Amino acid sequence: MPVVTHEQGTRVWMRRTRAGDLVAWLGWLIGVALTVLCFQFISDRTIWGFVWDAPAQAADLLERSVPPRWSYAHELWRAMWDTLNIATLGTVLAIATAVPVAFLAAYNTTPSALLVRPVALFVIVASRSVNSLIWALILVIIFGPGMLAGILAIALRSIGFIGKLLYEAIEEIDPTQVEAVTATGAGRAQVLAWGIVPQVMPAFAGISVFRWDINIREATVLGLVGAGGIGMQLQASINTLAWPQVSMILILILGTVVVSEWLSARVRHAII
Amino acid sequence: MDARAAALAWRPPPLIEAAWLRWAVYGGALLYLVLALGTLEVNWQRAAEGIERGGRFLAAFFPPDFASHWREIEEGLLESLTMTVTSTVFGVILSVPVALGAARNLAPLPVYLFCRAVIAISRTFQEVIIAILFVAMFGFGPLAGMITLAFATIGFMAKLLAEDIEDIERSQAEAVRATGASWFQLLAWGIQPQVLPRFIGLSAYRFDINFRESAVLGLVGAGGIGDTLNNALDRYEFGTAAAVLLIIIAIVLACEYASGFIRRAVQ
Amino acid sequence: MLVIEGLTKRYPTGDLALDGVSLTVPKGQVMALIGPSGAGKSTLIRCVNRLVEPTAGAVRLGATEITRLGDRALRRARRRMGMIFQEYALVERLTVMENVLSGRLGYVGFWRSWFRRFPLADIEEAFRLLARVGLDHMVDKRADALSGGQRQRVGIVRALMQDPELLLVDEPTASLDPKTSRQIMRLIIELAKERNLAAIINIHDVALAQLFAERIVGLHAGRIVFDGPAAALTPEVLTTIYGEEDWSATIRKVEDGDGDGDEPPSVEAARIAAAD
């Protein structure tokens, strides 16, 4: 109670009680202390000489990457095409898997809240927790380097993403519309198709396009671990310290990402 | 008869109104699929061999091997966690001024364009690419990872926060302005209370993302548990890799649970 | 005394919201501003405290020419004009007390307001005013937990906390039920009388305007088309303000007095300081 009445009868208002104030300050103190402690840990593992040298390094890097090697571009088109395919096919694969998983995970559509739902939720969580680059790392070990590992890595990571957002959308639908369809005597599948699917369709399309956009970005780095795409060229160029090639690749990635973002924004706009 | 003819002719309206566009989209999609699958280079023989290896990998989860490389795991884990904490704190603090500058209803046009440019740069490149550049600048180790994640956090937070600021209820801010409040008081009384819950929620969410990302930065030498995982996989020590993966999943789950709790609490 | 001369506002979209409006509101006068949606009522009162920047014309409050002030001086001048909003415009996530104290923002420095260390006199005044409007038991409730009538009373107290010379009131009853509307209007009038404040009240409800305001100004397409005492509001006048409609029912309601015991404020001297 922040209103305190003194003995003289004057009332004083404060934002928090004394105890509340104390807790707030203590919270801030702990937060700052933790940050300092963490930074200390990082600092111990840092060679500060290199860090002070960073501006010079950056200038040097910039100088060596300018101008980009424009002629290198024609060797990159194929890699860029592969990158787009990894992202797109991975997304398609993920959508095909995530849709049933989402319907199994949503409490209002799952066939069994006790048995099936936890399994579906586990699939979603496991897929989401692991970064696509780590998935790629594992898949390259298993299936060997190449686009297959890349596509599967993108798909495995995206199942969780699409599945989570989609099942949340399914759980948020308006139940009266479902009721109305059920009241017409529709069967289970009909209720799904007429009462639920139309309601989640915009969300579903939006989520898919959004994830595709993210996947383009992710696909540009999968090559660093050998899972195909333009990241392979990036890795090779960095290893040989061919900085003009690196800057050329970065420019190409920049262009692609900008275009894909524009495209996905347009599509999402059209849907909503 | 007319009614019957109309009934016969009725079709549900197609998703795309213009017929030529509809067929162009379908045709384009089909053509793309053919081309994409046609140029797909997959060494199926190598992939088939992988099935057996994949089985071994899965088997390694039962039970995972926490013990034999525990020191390495511990070191990587601590690096990841400290990196996550510091980068989230610094990134979130730095994102506030950028967000204010990137909100069209607060900032003048030149500031707005500059801040939007910062956001765009930070969001365009995947964290790993940025990490490569920072490692080249700052040397190997978690500091480069921390700076990478802080940089990515700025773009993420500033963009969403700026959108939130642009969406505030204007009448509340107007009422504060009408009392004769200064610009900073307008921020503190008219805007901050409206965006604070989401700001806290986003920060918690970004903490979550930063941890996940910190697990891969090790692949390019920016410190963290990714390095441990990479080494384990390089040595085909699937037991240790499984252990690392399980730890990552457990921490992500804990973070997600905590951030969900925080978001509900501040609502 | 508030003097408005030739006030004109053209929005960047090209819409002319105000077209050479001139008005004088003496101290202690309650003036209702009526007119159809889009007539420029909101723009007019927002031009007075320059939440909307006028295109041309002058606004003077006492000796201060508000339209000429720089940023800092404008903020000081805004303290002298309390504003009450349609839909309350409380900062919803702050408590009642914080909302009330926000009326003092123009008087305290930033850090003081940040740490909520307001002068004791302000807090006492806040308690006094909250008691006056019957909300002293809700000091620590969050604003979004209040009912419409309660919120608007907090809005009134916030405006009065500024210790204003002038009240700018924008559709105070737009989202309230009829009974609460009357209570709120009466409260505003009483408080304005107590403190001898001038007030400009934008209002949609013609009957309420007649009931509570001594002077009525009708705005149509950015121009003043009527300025006179409440009693002078005839169907013909309403037609010039709003356009053709059967107005007899609207007006009779007032002529009959009112059934639920509201006493019309004494239409004593409807001091019309005609602007033209």
Side-chain angles (χ1 to χ4, degrees), chain A residues 180-260:
Chain A
V181 176
T182 316
T184 65
R188 248 187 100 88
Q190 282 173 317
V191 172
L192 206 67
W194 287 78
I196 296 171
V197 170
Q199 289 197 60
V200 295
M201 210 56 204
F204 165 72
I207 294 163
S208 304
V209 177
F210 184 39
R211 186 65 219 186
W212 174 75
D213 182 23
I214 298 176
N215 281 345
I216 298 264
R217 248 171 266 223
E218 304 265 306
T220 58
V221 296
L222 291 180
L224 293 176
V225 297
I230 200 162
M232 306 257 253
Q233 271 73 9
L234 185 62
Q235 179 80 307
S237 300
I238 289 171
N239 284 347
T240 55
L241 299 178
W243 292 102
Q245 293 187 16
V246 172
S247 57
M248 184 62 232
I249 293 172
L250 291 187
I251 288 171
L252 201 60
I253 292 178
L254 181 77
T256 313
V257 169
V258 168
V259 169
S260 77

Side-chain angles (χ1 to χ4, degrees), chain A residues 41-42 45 51 78 81 85 88 125 128 131 133-134 141-144 147 217-218 221 224 238 254, chain B residues 32 39-40 46-47 50 53 75 78 82 86 123-124 126 128-129 132 143 212-213 216 229 253 256:
Chain A
F41 179 91
I42 291 176
R45 279 153 189 75
V51 178
R78 179 58 206 261
W81 168 249
N85 289 342
T88 310
V125 163
R128 270 165 54 73
N131 207 296
L133 205 57
I134 292 183
I141 300 275
I142 295 177
F143 292 119
M147 283 177 71
R217 248 171 266 223
E218 304 265 306
V221 296
L224 293 176
I238 289 171
L254 181 77
Chain B
Y32 169 77
T39 55
L40 194 64
R46 173 67 185 78
R53 204 178 275 183
E75 175 72 14
L78 277 173
T82 50
T86 49
R123 283 170 48 82
T124 301
Q126 228 278 340
V128 174
I129 293 181
I132 291 173
L143 187 78
R212 262 179 261 193
E213 290 295 327
V216 297
L229 182 66
L253 266 182
E256 197 158 298

